[in-house]
Amino acid sequence: MKVSVIGCGYLGAVHAAALASLGHEVIGMDLDEAKVDALASGNPPFYEPGLSELLLKGQDRGSLEFTTEVTRVASSILHFVCVGTPQKPGELAADVTYVNEAVESLLPYLTSTSVVVGKSTVPVGTAERLAGVISGTGASMVWNPEFLREGHAVEDTVHPNRLVYGVAEGEAGQEAATRLDEVYASMLAEDTPRIITDYATAELVKTAANSFLATKISFINAMAELCEASGADVTQLADAIGLDDRIGRKFLNAGLGFGGGCLPKDIRAFMARAGELGADQAVTFLKEIDSINMRRRVRMVDIARDALNGSFIGKKITVLGAAFKPNSDDVRDSPALAVARLIATQGGVVTVTDPQAIGNASTAFPELNYVTDTTEALTGADAVLLLTEWHEYRDLDPHVTAESVNGKVLVDGRNVLTPQLWRAAGWTYRALGRP
Ligand code: UDX
């Protein structure tokens, strides 16, 4: 099918490349010329395993093109809206300006056979309102939330664990769903569950899923606080409760908590929207989820300072990891960088290293010192803080690492190292939620 993808950021670029790989003819549209040029040359402006290959293959086959010209979407039947909905400056709410603008820019090209498919994460009520905006063209609106994780975005897009379509009532909604089924035929052939709902439910599915994930992480981090107070070990606690398959072990990794471009902003936007709807009490608990998450960063700094006998002043601190999670170069609301900056403001001489995110980190926070090579970053450190659990940091050998540093102090912010090994090699090993 001929489809367009409006907005070629993280979500849109992966969606466009994935749909082309499934045999569709895809036009990716973005107003940012630099982004379009980068995608057209197969060098996405962010790190995502497997994406570059898909971009090149799709363009070689002639089934994928990127453009800044909205007129190029004219021949497409389906238009996927994939623009960002960042947190509004100074507010909890999401900014839906880009979504509104994207839908308005499509208006001249919509006909009664067109389907506009919203994929951006939006406050509940947005799809209904935008369906009103396009109603004069006869086109249909579907809300089809996306659940991809950074670092697994290609796999999550091509083989999603579920498809959710929010459609209008009646025949028009059913027809639009049939159109979307054609685009996702390969996923449906793999028996991917598909749930058809009204607009509001589809929008809430996305926000509720991210709220649940955030809650799960903050739950185990709250238990980590109790473990710290009582001398218990949160990693064993998580293993033990996770064996109950009603609870499950996934997303129970205690540590520095969640960051990134989705979970923090989505739970805040959810609280703001619930307030507008007069249902704020229903999600007041998310404020506590956010607070627990933020407290972990402060606690990390406290543990590191304590391990250095009460002061960072004049001490060299090496931070392993800048990305908000491994296999990503995304530093939006990165817990690792939040900790690095806090320590720098308390007089520590902070060096940050990361396999992929140094470029983005140094643009966002140029005041910190960045080093690409891990051994160079470790040289002369008085304390080493493991804050993003990249494989190369999980695999560090305590004896080899000891040769580079000045003081054998390690704080494991993600609970991924084996304390006994590090202690046996003479290190002071500290962690969040374990003795
Ligand atoms: C998330 C959702 O998982 C995805 O479905 C949605 O579409 C977008 O938001 P993402 O932001 O890519 O995806 O990252 P995710 O893998 O969910 O991790 C989020 C944060 O939680 C990271 O900072 C990660 O380090 C942290 N995390 C995750 C934990 O602290 N503990 C865990 O057990 C799991």
Side-chain angles (χ1 to χ4, degrees):
M1 287 184 89
K2 284 191 149 194
V3 306
S4 79
V5 174
I6 314 300
C8 294
Y10 215 98
L11 167 61
V14 175
H15 197 64
L19 290 187
S21 79
L22 297 176
H24 302 296
E25 265 182 60
V26 186
I27 290 280
M29 208 293 288
D30 199 290
L31 297 174
D32 181 341
E33 212 168 301
K35 199 179 279 175
V36 164
D37 289 346
L39 293 169
S41 65
N43 293 311
F46 44 82
Y47 173 74
E48 184 60 42
L51 179 59
S52 184
E53 292 81 341
L54 274 197
L55 288 170
L56 291 172
K57 262 196 213 157
Q59 293 179 99
D60 283 351
R61 267 202 317 265
S63 56
L64 177 62
E65 276 185 76
F66 291 97
T67 180
T68 54
E69 300 290 329
V70 71
T71 51
R72 297 287 313 282
V73 310
S75 58
S76 299
I77 300 163
L78 283 98
H79 305 277
F80 290 90
V81 175
C82 296
V83 293
T85 51
Q87 191 173 340
K88 280 185 190 165
E91 284 183 50
L92 291 184
D95 182 353
V96 291
T97 312
Y98 302 121
V99 178
N100 296 342
E101 287 173 0
V103 171
E104 271 156 29
S105 74
L106 288 172
L107 286 175
Y109 312 102
L110 298 179
T111 67
S112 57
T113 54
S114 314
V115 183
V116 177
V117 187
K119 292 197 76 68
S120 309
T121 300
V122 291
V124 58
T126 305
E128 187 76 50
R129 179 174 58 73
L130 292 173
V133 171
I134 65 167
S135 61
T137 66
S140 302
M141 167 71 70
V142 179
W143 214 264
N144 170 224
E146 177 59 53
F147 306 102
L148 65 80
R149 296 159 300 167
E150 294 187 16
H152 305 269
V154 172
E155 178 68 14
D156 285 353
T157 305
V158 179
H159 304 288
N161 54 19
R162 77 280 211 195
L163 292 165
V164 177
Y165 306 171
V167 301
E169 268 179 29
E171 217 170 289
Q174 291 309 316
E175 271 174 32
T178 306
R179 277 281 143 100
L180 204 50
D181 280 350
E182 290 173 45
V183 175
Y184 294 144
S186 66
M187 304 164 198
L188 295 169
E190 290 173 349
D191 288 334
T192 304
R194 183 200 61 168
I195 297 182
I196 297 189
T197 68
D198 54 28
Y199 291 139
T201 307
E203 292 165 319
L204 280 176
V205 166
K206 170 71 187 193
T207 332
N210 275 355
S211 298
F212 192 86
L213 294 173
T215 302
K216 211 171 171 192
I217 298 168
S218 276
F219 172 81
I220 201 65
N221 283 331
M223 294 306 107
E225 290 187 2
L226 277 166
C227 287
E228 283 158 20
S230 61
D233 183 330
V234 74
T235 60
Q236 289 184 315
L237 177 87
D239 289 344
I241 65 172
L243 284 170
D244 181 335
D245 61 13
R246 294 170 303 174
I247 296 174
R249 181 63 179 81
K250 287 183 184 161
F251 264 68
L252 277 187
N253 293 324
L256 204 46
F258 59 83
C262 291
L263 299 191
K265 120 179 137 58
D266 288 352
I267 62 170
R268 291 171 194 159
F270 199 15
M271 285 185 269
R273 184 65 184 135
E276 288 169 3
L277 294 169
D280 42 329
Q281 278 189 333
V283 289
T284 310
F285 74 94
L286 288 176
K287 205 170 159 200
E288 198 51 45
I289 298 307
D290 207 350
S291 300
I292 294 166
N293 194 50
M294 290 300 160
R295 281 208 295 274
R296 294 285 78 191
R297 302 175 183 191
V298 177
R299 176 74 182 141
M300 180 74 204
V301 175
D302 290 346
I303 291 177
R305 197 193 316 95
D306 189 53
L308 287 168
N309 299 322
S311 173
F312 289 120
I313 293 171
K315 296 280 169 56
K316 189 181 170 204
I317 319 296
T318 297
V319 165
L320 302 176
F324 84 101
K325 68 172 191 180
N327 298 318
S328 169
D329 65 354
D330 194 343
V331 299
R332 285 176 293 171
D333 201 0
S334 161
L337 287 180
V339 167
R341 287 159 63 219
L342 275 172
I343 294 176
T345 60
Q346 294 182 21
V349 181
V350 182
T351 296
V352 180
T353 185
D354 189 285
Q356 292 293 339
I358 286 184
N360 286 339
S362 56
T363 305
F365 305 111
E367 67 275 19
L368 296 171
N369 179 38
Y370 298 95
V371 170
T372 312
D373 181 70
T374 310
T375 309
E376 192 188 330
L378 289 166
T379 303
D382 294 301
V384 179
L385 276 46
L386 194 166
L387 303 187
T388 311
E389 68 277 31
W390 286 93
H391 255 294
E392 40 268 78
Y393 306 148
R394 304 175 92 136
D395 293 345
L396 280 175
D397 179 272
H399 297 283
V400 177
T401 309
E403 289 167 17
S404 302
V405 299
N406 182 45
K408 292 199 272 182
V409 174
L410 186 124
V411 191
D412 181 359
R414 296 290 178 180
N415 288 315
V416 289
L417 301 176
T418 309
Q420 297 83 339
L421 286 182
W422 288 78
R423 287 188 179 130
W427 286 76
T428 298
Y429 173 94
R430 299 282 304 268
L432 289 165
R434 326 198 234 192

